[in-house]
Amino acid sequence: MSGRVLLHVCCGPCAVATVEMLRDEGFEVTGLFLNPNIHPLQEYLRRRDAALETAERMGFKLIVRDAEYDPAAYMRAVAFREANRCFHCYEMRLSRAVQIAKRGNFDAFTSTLLYSRHQKHEVIKGLCADLAAGGVPFLYRDFRAGWQRGIEESKRMGIYRQQYCGCLYSEVERYQKELRRDRDSSS
Ligand code: SF4
């Protein structure tokens, strides 16, 4: 199988093994960095630059949609349904990826979100299958098979590796142990 694939890219480290696996199958990969969920802006810039560095070093084109960095839109999308926030977060990013893939006449779309062991893999898979009804085939692969390879290679390349998923909620969850520790020590 071959063709032009639009790969939604959440970050540089997740792109490494994913791009390798797609290329091994003969696909021509174009990345798309479109992640309005990332908080704060400085973290967005750091991840964007890491994705650009990854693209440059691996030699694939990366479309960057800074103009669509809109954390307020993300917050509106998840407000009052925070328990299901990941679905809405995936939906807002991947539905745009499908639109861009369609406009660019890509043969298929997929996402590095399918690489992470920390994401809701089956939810992403089902959502992408539904979005494919928009006219661009969804290329499903279980990129988690390249998990260890991606970690090792991104470390070897010195690509910035983030400490939390992306949104404000995930940042709080990542560091709340430290908040508790501070509270305990001051009480
Ligand atoms: S935890 Fe990650 S996938 Fe879920 S809403 Fe936050 S940034 Fe999006």
Side-chain angles (χ1 to χ4, degrees):
M1 198 174 170
S2 61
R4 293 173 64 237
V5 176
L6 185 70
L7 173 68
H8 167 260
V9 170
C10 63
C11 65
C14 288
V16 173
T18 310
V19 170
E20 279 183 357
M21 292 165 84
L22 289 169
R23 282 177 164 171
D24 284 349
E25 286 192 61
F27 290 106
E28 181 190 328
V29 180
T30 297
L32 169 68
F33 188 85
L34 191 156
N35 298 293
N37 53 311
I38 300 172
H39 174 90
L41 173 58
Q42 284 193 333
E43 177 71 15
Y44 169 85
L45 294 172
R46 218 171 163 192
R47 294 188 196 190
R48 180 203 65 183
D49 290 347
L52 283 166
E53 184 186 349
T54 304
E56 189 182 343
R57 291 175 65 178
M58 293 185 72
F60 65 91
K61 184 182 172 195
L62 183 71
I63 301 166
V64 172
R65 288 299 179 106
D66 283 345
E68 296 190 43
Y69 178 69
D70 186 355
Y74 163 80
M75 296 303 283
R76 280 196 298 275
V78 303
F80 302 111
R81 44 190 187 180
E82 288 84 352
N84 203 22
R85 70 177 190 264
C86 296
F87 174 83
H88 300 291
C89 179
Y90 300 145
E91 205 274 338
M92 76 183 296
R93 292 184 279 169
L94 295 170
S95 59
R96 277 296 289 143
V98 171
Q99 289 172 352
I100 292 165
K102 193 171 183 181
R103 202 175 306 147
N105 287 318
F106 283 87
D107 298 304
F109 78 97
T110 191
S111 175
T112 58
L113 291 166
L114 293 164
Y115 161 83
S116 175
R117 287 184 182 171
H118 301 301
Q119 298 295 340
K120 300 177 193 313
H121 193 93
E122 293 304 319
V123 172
I124 298 163
K125 184 179 172 185
L127 173 66
C128 287
D130 289 345
L131 291 172
V136 184
F138 165 45
L139 181 71
Y140 173 69
R141 295 289 183 273
D142 191 346
F143 297 119
R144 293 174 297 185
W147 178 252
Q148 199 53 38
R149 159 87 190 149
I151 291 172
E152 287 165 11
E153 187 60 10
S154 60
K155 283 184 178 170
R156 189 194 66 74
M157 292 165 74
I159 303 292
Y160 168 63
R161 300 177 54 78
Q162 65 267 14
Q163 297 300 306
Y164 58 95
C165 188
C167 63
L168 181 145
Y169 305 101
S170 62
E171 187 200 20
V172 172
E173 284 165 4
R174 169 69 179 80
Y175 295 111
Q176 65 189 354
K177 277 195 209 106
E178 288 164 41
L179 191 66
R180 270 193 225 113
R181 212 177 297 139
D182 284 355
R183 268 197 219 130
D184 294 347
S185 62
S186 61
S187 60

